[in-house]
């Protein structure tokens, strides 16, 4: 041991020359360690998930259009189809549209819904790029994280893409949840970055610009093609012909920061004349897809409803809670009473949450002639809507040639979409299901953006219109420039809202286990859209 110590001394420290060499060597080694290895109290940089996407808080956050599926296999095929279409666009004159929505849901039903939405966007991109439209469309997927919690980072990326001539981002769509974080994202995109936003799935009234300009414009450049919750409620009321308060009761979720359920509860608020009905029945869920102890609340609420005269139950809540409430109500022995639960467009996903034994519970047993509970809701679209509405029209009119365009145009558009999906012309993008309205609505939203871009390009110099020019085209999309969507005529007001957009009143039938079309409802006092969809100077 002493010999080794003497060797070290003689080798590294015996004279000044060796001491200086040793110190210089240690300095070099220390520098290399500092450069190559991060200090223990400084974490390494974020892990890259894919081009434009990094891992933050256990999620892959960012923007990508090269086929990355964000760890959600259900969207893998359609993500790769989008990438292939983007490669076809290449360096040709183009604009980019971003689909911003949570891309890593945990619940299987939500992953299937996500696939439907992205399929709709891709099919619209595919159709637009095979028309005579210039510029072409690139599509990218933008993940803001669960509940849009990390939207600020993604909004910043999108803002940079809007300024970058390689991308020419000209609109953002997606937005499938009406939350406070969604509101913040739309506010930052429109106000800070000046990026046009089109909402095709969010129905909360607070996520719309008011028709009265004196009330201000909270989201400049926002357009929406789905009726708001209040418009859906008006359409349902007109369809049912009016119910007095004694026949109805409102069940509402009081969980904070969910502006969809807040808006729906307000829209279902009752002001009919006559005897008052049962008081509102609140509950508080732990989350959008979390049940918690709501089952206990629903059992007690169901027993109270049983003793009242209420037959129609307005439900302001999310699909996972709607399913549980419907089952609890059906299980309540209540002197043979039958119920109809009425809800908003969010219930379009309800059938995907249903399980095997649920159907028999809602039927009231195998031998029941009529279901104990049926669920009706205002679907923003349904593949059987136009066929059923036209049959009803033909029964009341002698001349089939007089069929109105607000029924025949959407039917023709829907057939084109169905044919494209059925033949697989656009490639293998997975099983395309239209019943939950998501594919149809998102498709129509991207088609609406494409129409605005084409009109803006014709008014601008060069191949790509500026951001503000695209937003300025929203009010032009009426009359001659209306969009014949699969979900109905899309005619926008000066505030960017869809005027008198029809809703499909549909019913979840536990006997057939299907969502059946019941009829068409119109928000404007039950009146259909005017000829050629000319928006009047005053809207209700």
């Amino acid at each position: 041991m002493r010999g080794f110590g003497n060797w070290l001394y003689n080798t590294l420290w015996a004279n000044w020359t060796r001491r200086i060499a040793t110190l210089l060597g240690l300095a070099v080694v220390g520098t290399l360690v500092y450069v190559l290895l991060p200090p223990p109290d400084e974490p390494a940089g974020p892990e890259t998930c894919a081009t434009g996407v990094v891992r933050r808080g256990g999620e892959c956050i960012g923007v990508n259009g090269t086929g990355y599926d964000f760890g959600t296999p259900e969207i893998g095929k359609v993500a790769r189809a989008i990438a292939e279409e983007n490669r076809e666009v290449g360096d040709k004159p183009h604009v980019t549209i971003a689909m911003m929505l949570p891309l890593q849901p945990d619940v299987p039903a939500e992953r299937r819904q996500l696939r439907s939405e992205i399929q709709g966007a891709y099919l619209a991109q595919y159709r637009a790029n095979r028309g005579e439209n210039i510029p072409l469309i690139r599509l990218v997927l933008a993940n803001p994280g669960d509940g849009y919690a990390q939207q600020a980072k993604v909004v910043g990326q999108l803002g940079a893409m809007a300024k970058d001539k390689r991308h020419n981002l000209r609109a953002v769509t997606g937005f499938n949840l009406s939350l406070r974080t969604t509101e913040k994202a739309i506010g930052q995109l429109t106000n800070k970055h000046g990026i046009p936003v089109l909402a095709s799935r969010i129905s909360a009234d607070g996520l719309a610009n008011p028709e009265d300009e004196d009330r201000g414009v909270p989201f400049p450049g926002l357009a929406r093609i789905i009726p708001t919750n209040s418009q859906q409620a008006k359409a349902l009321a007109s369809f049912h012909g009016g119910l007095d308060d004694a026949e109805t009761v409102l069940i509402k979720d009081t969980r904070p920061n969910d502006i969809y359920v807040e808006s729906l509860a307000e829209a279902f608020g009752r002001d009919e004349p006559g005897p008052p009905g049962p008081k509102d029945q609140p509950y508080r869920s732990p989350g959008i897809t979390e049940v918690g102890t709501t089952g206990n609340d629903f059992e007690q609420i169901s027993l109270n409803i049983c003793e009242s005269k209420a037959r129609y139950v307005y439900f302001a809540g999310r699909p996972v809670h709607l399913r549980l409430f419907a089952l609890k109500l059906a299980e309540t022995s209540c002197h043979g009473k039958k119920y109809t639960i009425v809800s908003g467009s969010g219930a379009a996903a309800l059938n995907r949450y249903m399980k095997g034994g649920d159907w028999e519970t809602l039927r009231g047993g195998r031998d029941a002639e009529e279901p104990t509970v049926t669920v009706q809701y205002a679907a923003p679209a349904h593949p059987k809507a136009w066929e059923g509405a036209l049959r009803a029209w033909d029964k009341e009119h002698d001349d089939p040639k007089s069929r109105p365009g607000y029924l025949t145009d959407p039917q023709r558009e829907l057939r084109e979409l169905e044919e494209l999906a059925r033949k697989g012309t656009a490639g293998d993008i997975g099983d395309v299901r239209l019943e939950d309205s998501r594919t149809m609505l998102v498709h129509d939203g991207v088609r609406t953006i494409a129409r605005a871009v084409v009109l803006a390009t014709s008014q601008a110099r060069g191949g790509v219109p500026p951001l503000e020019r695209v937003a300025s085209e929203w009010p032009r999309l009426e009359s001659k420039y209306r969009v014949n969507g699969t979900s109905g005529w899309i005619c926008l007001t000066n505030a960017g809202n869809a005027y008198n957009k029809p809703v499909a009143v549909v019913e979840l039938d536990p006997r057939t286990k299907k969502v059946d079309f019941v009829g068409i409802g119109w928000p404007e006092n039950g009146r259909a859209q005017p000829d050629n969809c000319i928006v009047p100077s005053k809207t209700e």
Side-chain angles (χ1 to χ4, degrees):
M1 193 69 183
R2 179 178 297 177
F4 179 71
N6 289 335
W7 178 85
L8 284 176
Y9 177 82
N10 292 328
T11 303
L12 302 176
W13 209 254
N15 55 53
W16 283 108
T17 301
R18 293 182 180 182
R19 290 177 184 178
I20 292 172
T22 298
L23 292 172
L24 288 174
L26 290 172
V28 170
V29 172
T31 301
L32 289 174
V33 170
Y34 179 82
V35 171
L36 298 177
L37 296 176
D41 59 343
E42 292 186 16
E47 173 191 349
T48 299
C49 299
T51 302
V53 183
V54 297
R55 187 176 300 279
R56 297 181 186 275
E59 296 181 280
C60 288
I61 305 300
V63 184
N64 181 273
T66 62
Y68 179 55
D69 65 6
F70 290 83
T72 305
E74 286 84 350
I75 68 171
K77 289 182 178 180
V78 65
R80 290 190 289 272
I82 289 171
E84 179 61 30
E85 185 67 14
N86 289 343
R87 283 191 287 269
E88 288 289 324
V89 171
D91 295 328
K92 300 169 189 174
H94 67 269
V95 300
T96 298
I97 298 173
M99 275 281 290
M100 184 176 179
L101 69 174
L103 294 170
Q104 296 177 285
D106 295 327
V107 180
E110 290 189 343
R111 293 198 292 268
R112 292 191 293 270
Q113 294 164 26
L114 177 63
R115 179 180 61 193
S116 293
E117 290 168 335
I118 299 175
Q119 285 172 335
Y122 166 69
L123 291 171
Q125 178 199 24
Y126 184 91
R127 293 184 66 189
N129 286 349
R130 278 146 190 80
E132 298 179 357
N133 300 335
I134 296 291
L136 300 173
I137 291 176
R138 289 183 70 253
L139 191 63
V140 294
L141 304 180
N143 184 25
D146 185 33
Y148 294 81
Q150 302 192 60
Q151 52 82 23
K153 299 178 179 66
V154 178
V155 166
Q157 279 185 269
L158 297 174
M161 292 174 65
K163 298 175 182 177
D164 191 332
K165 293 184 178 180
R166 294 174 302 161
H167 297 290
N168 292 321
L169 179 76
R170 287 299 176 267
V172 180
T173 187
F175 302 109
N176 58 350
L177 292 171
S178 297
L179 303 171
R180 293 295 176 196
T181 45
T182 315
E183 183 179 40
K184 290 179 180 179
I186 294 175
Q188 287 292 298
L189 287 167
T190 55
N191 286 285
K192 181 178 179 180
H193 298 286
I195 300 175
V197 170
L198 186 136
S200 56
R201 286 290 310 157
I202 46 177
S203 57
D205 288 72
L207 294 176
N209 287 322
E211 296 299 330
D212 184 358
E213 293 183 1
D214 293 338
R215 295 169 54 193
V217 182
F219 310 107
L222 170 65
R224 45 183 304 128
I225 66 167
I226 185 174
T228 62
N229 284 337
S230 61
Q231 290 172 328
Q232 293 178 26
K234 289 178 181 178
L236 286 167
S238 296
F239 182 81
H240 285 295
L243 298 168
D244 63 48
D245 279 356
E247 297 178 283
T248 67
V249 62
L250 171 63
I251 314 298
K252 59 182 182 181
D253 193 344
T254 60
R255 176 170 45 81
N257 299 320
D258 190 335
I259 55 180
Y260 167 74
V261 296
E262 292 173 9
S263 175
L264 192 60
E266 183 177 355
F268 282 152
R270 298 163 295 174
D271 56 5
E272 297 294 331
K279 68 179 184 181
D280 297 348
Q281 301 290 322
Y283 71 96
R284 181 164 175 161
S285 68
I288 293 175
T289 58
E290 298 175 57
V291 173
T293 60
T294 54
N296 296 332
D297 293 328
F298 292 154
E299 284 183 5
Q300 296 170 4
I301 290 172
S302 297
L303 288 170
N304 281 339
I305 293 175
C306 172
E307 300 302 320
S308 74
K309 296 180 179 179
R311 298 181 298 110
Y312 284 81
V313 181
Y314 291 112
F315 190 88
R318 294 289 180 175
V320 68
H321 308 120
L322 173 56
R323 167 190 168 270
L324 182 57
F325 172 73
L327 293 174
K328 294 297 182 181
L329 186 61
E331 290 170 350
T332 302
S333 178
C334 197
H335 321 298
K337 283 181 69 175
K338 309 295 183 183
Y339 297 100
T340 298
I341 302 175
V342 180
S343 195
S345 56
L350 177 61
N351 64 322
R352 293 192 171 184
Y353 286 93
M354 298 293 286
K355 301 177 182 179
D358 294 350
W359 302 104
E360 185 173 338
T361 299
L362 296 185
R363 285 198 304 268
R366 295 181 179 180
D367 299 329
E369 295 183 3
E370 294 184 11
T372 301
V373 173
T374 55
V375 180
Q376 284 188 359
Y377 60 89
H382 190 274
K384 300 298 183 183
W386 311 118
E387 177 186 328
L390 284 167
R391 279 200 304 268
W393 171 274
D394 291 343
K395 287 181 180 179
E396 298 180 4
H397 300 81
D398 296 330
D399 184 10
K401 295 181 180 180
S402 66
R403 286 175 158 186
Y406 59 75
L407 297 181
T408 57
D409 288 347
Q411 182 191 47
R412 183 168 55 251
E413 185 77 9
L414 177 59
R415 284 175 175 171
E416 291 185 20
L417 177 63
E418 288 176 326
E419 184 176 3
L420 181 63
R422 183 174 61 253
K423 289 186 175 181
T425 308
D428 183 7
I429 59 174
D431 182 31
V432 180
R433 297 177 58 184
L434 304 180
E435 289 79 7
D436 69 355
S437 79
R438 293 173 184 270
T439 301
M440 295 170 63
L441 259 291
V442 176
H443 166 274
D444 290 357
V446 174
R447 293 276 284 177
T448 301
I449 295 171
R451 172 65 64 86
V453 167
V454 169
L455 292 177
T457 302
S458 68
Q459 299 295 320
R461 296 179 181 178
V464 176
L467 286 168
E468 63 273 12
R469 188 68 228 179
V470 175
S472 70
E473 292 298 336
W474 296 143
R476 308 286 178 263
L477 301 184
E478 61 155 340
S479 190
K480 177 178 174 61
Y481 297 112
R482 68 178 181 265
V483 178
N484 295 327
T486 63
S487 59
W489 275 355
I490 297 168
C491 326
L492 301 184
T493 67
N494 287 341
N497 301 315
Y499 173 69
N500 201 23
K501 182 80 180 295
V503 299
V505 181
V506 298
E507 186 171 273
L508 186 67
D509 191 334
R511 294 166 296 188
T512 62
K513 302 181 182 180
K514 294 180 179 179
V515 178
D516 297 328
F517 172 73
V518 180
I520 290 287
W522 302 92
E524 299 289 322
N525 294 323
R527 299 190 303 268
Q529 290 165 314
D531 291 342
N532 298 322
C533 209
I534 299 173
V535 178
S537 59
K538 292 184 179 181
T539 60
E540 297 182 15

